[in-house]
Amino acid sequence: MSPFTEARMHLAVELSAAGHHPAAARWARLDPAVLLSAVHHAGLARTAARRGLDLALIPHTFHPDGGPLLDAVSLAARIAPVVPGIGLAPTATVTHTEPFHVSKAIATLDMVSSGRAGWEPAVSRTQVEADLFGRKPAAPADVLWREAADAIEVVVRLWDSWEDDAVIRDVATGRYIDRDKLHYVDFQGEFFSVKGPSITPRPPQGHPLVVLRADEEEAIPVAARWADVVRISAPDLPAAADARDRIRSAVADAGRDPDDITVLLDVEVHMGADRDRARRDLTELDRLAGAELPASSVRVLGPPTDLADLIGTAVRTRAADGVTLVPLVLPADLDVVADQVVPLLAGRGLLRTGSAGGSLRSRFGLRRPANHFAGATS
């Protein structure tokens, strides 16, 4: 089987409130109150799920300049029970967040989604963000990513601190939990000291999907060790192919099978009837924002066929195993993707359509991991 059949072609979408462009809400004349409603966010996820997208990524930042934001993890937990059939991976910034709390929050998300949870650990770089917490100053990238690696390890160990059959509900003896199947994680690292166990049972997937950005060198070893899905940005497809090769080499050096990770290329999109219309829209968006928004990765401005062509070329040339669409304007760009782009991809044999069942790990071809502590004594 070719590695680029539907089993390897994955489509994710980043669902920020109004879109990636800072003027998107004003341009689309969205009521600001709508952006803080669960109905709006659930509607976006439902549109993506309707066409069988694999994964909805819910971004989050501590930086206050973008206006009020809903917490990404809490929002995902609100969406999950009412929108079936799509994975949900909220951002959790680990620089100023205790891994114990992150672990139980993502485990809870996996439970309420029936095994469709992922998470995107992120780092917080600025002093402005550090000042919001007042615990420590901003740190350089190498320190931030070493801390992130520790945090991810703690989270994974805490997921494993309950064996799958730890909950026994033995009425005769009055025992709810088999205490021998709960384990101290006893983690001692450079940044954290965590004893455990968790207060939340092991998630349905064992380990919810770990999504990591690997755009800077310091992040690549962390992604090589821990990521199931790696996000990259690149100015063009040759640069994306180079980044994918570099990541796969790092994964192999870390002792893992490179085919067990999926590399997704960020593609910024704004759909229009033609390229000229889409570019005029962007000019107006930039005018409303008071500054030009530079492309952070490959950008497609134009009709649905342009985006379908770009995705097909990216997969065929091994620039990526799929893409993360980053709509500049929501919900408009997502509606076009769902109604026009996905059918084009399906018609070219690149993507299935319709809702898919099963866990998020299974959608990415990953087995449920064994419990690190199973068979051990507390």
Side-chain angles (χ1 to χ4, degrees):
M1 178 184 292
S2 165
F4 297 108
T5 62
E6 68 174 19
R8 289 294 294 167
M9 168 59 196
H10 293 286
L11 193 58
V13 62
E14 183 177 282
L15 297 181
S16 50
H20 181 66
H21 200 286
R26 292 174 61 196
W27 186 81
R29 295 182 173 85
L30 290 177
D31 181 350
V34 168
L35 303 180
L36 298 178
S37 73
V39 171
H40 170 75
H41 294 273
L44 295 175
R46 190 172 288 112
T47 298
R50 174 167 55 86
R51 283 298 189 178
L53 272 69
D54 294 298
L55 183 60
L57 295 145
I58 304 174
H60 187 74
T61 177
F62 290 138
H63 202 287
D65 287 350
L69 293 171
L70 297 176
D71 177 77
V73 178
S74 300
L75 184 59
R78 172 64 179 82
I79 293 170
V82 298
V83 181
I86 189 169
L88 297 168
T91 296
T93 305
V94 297
T95 307
H96 303 293
T97 309
E98 294 294 334
F100 186 92
H101 299 307
V102 173
S103 176
K104 63 185 179 65
I106 302 301
T108 300
L109 175 60
D110 205 39
M111 292 173 187
V112 300
S113 67
S114 300
R116 292 180 288 116
W119 68 305
E120 183 173 348
V123 299
S124 174
R125 293 176 171 80
T126 70
Q127 189 59 46
V128 170
E129 293 168 298
D131 289 344
L132 295 174
F133 295 85
R135 294 170 51 205
K136 57 187 178 183
D142 63 323
V143 174
L144 292 174
W145 283 107
R146 290 203 314 272
E147 181 182 40
D150 270 11
I152 296 167
E153 183 171 354
V154 171
V155 167
V156 172
R157 287 194 187 197
L158 286 167
W159 287 336
D160 280 350
S161 65
W162 289 54
E163 295 186 35
D164 290 322
D165 54 353
V167 177
I168 55 176
R169 300 185 182 94
D170 189 334
V171 176
T173 63
R175 296 167 66 217
Y176 183 80
I177 296 171
D178 183 345
R179 185 62 186 81
D180 291 335
K181 295 189 176 182
L182 268 61
H183 304 278
Y184 296 121
V185 301
D186 287 327
F187 180 87
Q188 295 285 340
E190 181 181 357
F191 301 94
F192 302 103
S193 175
V194 179
K195 188 171 184 64
S198 177
I199 61 172
T200 306
R202 195 172 192 237
Q205 295 182 99
H207 299 167
L209 207 73
V210 177
V211 182
L212 277 169
R213 295 210 69 97
D215 292 327
E216 53 188 339
E217 287 299 318
E218 294 85 354
I220 291 176
V222 185
R225 172 65 181 89
W226 292 109
D228 302 304
V229 172
V230 179
R231 292 183 67 181
I232 60 172
S233 58
D236 52 40
L237 295 188
D242 289 343
R244 178 178 180 270
D245 289 344
R246 190 163 61 253
I247 290 163
R248 287 174 61 86
S249 293
V251 170
D253 290 343
R256 299 173 62 199
D257 184 347
D259 288 336
D260 285 343
I261 61 108
T262 298
V263 179
L264 298 181
L265 171 65
D266 278 11
V267 178
E268 294 182 4
V269 298
H270 179 58
M271 301 284 92
D274 53 47
R275 295 172 191 172
D276 183 60
R277 175 71 265 176
R279 288 166 182 161
R280 291 203 307 271
D281 288 348
L282 180 59
T283 298
E284 178 63 11
L285 283 158
D286 288 343
R287 186 191 67 77
L288 289 172
E292 180 180 340
L293 178 70
S296 59
S297 189
V298 176
R299 178 183 280 179
V300 175
L301 304 172
T305 50
D306 282 3
L307 180 55
D309 290 346
L310 182 281
I311 293 172
T313 301
V315 173
R316 186 175 61 254
T317 62
R318 301 174 183 253
D321 303 313
V323 302
T324 297
L325 300 175
V326 183
L328 296 188
V329 179
L330 289 168
D333 288 328
L334 179 60
D335 289 341
V336 176
V337 166
D339 294 335
Q340 300 183 51
V341 178
V342 170
L344 282 172
L345 294 172
R348 298 175 187 186
L350 289 170
L351 192 72
R352 61 183 176 270
T353 58
S355 179
S359 73
L360 183 57
R361 290 187 68 87
S362 68
R363 291 190 72 156
F364 280 84
L366 299 170
R367 296 181 298 275
R368 190 174 188 273
N371 190 311
H372 173 77
F373 297 103
T377 57
S378 299

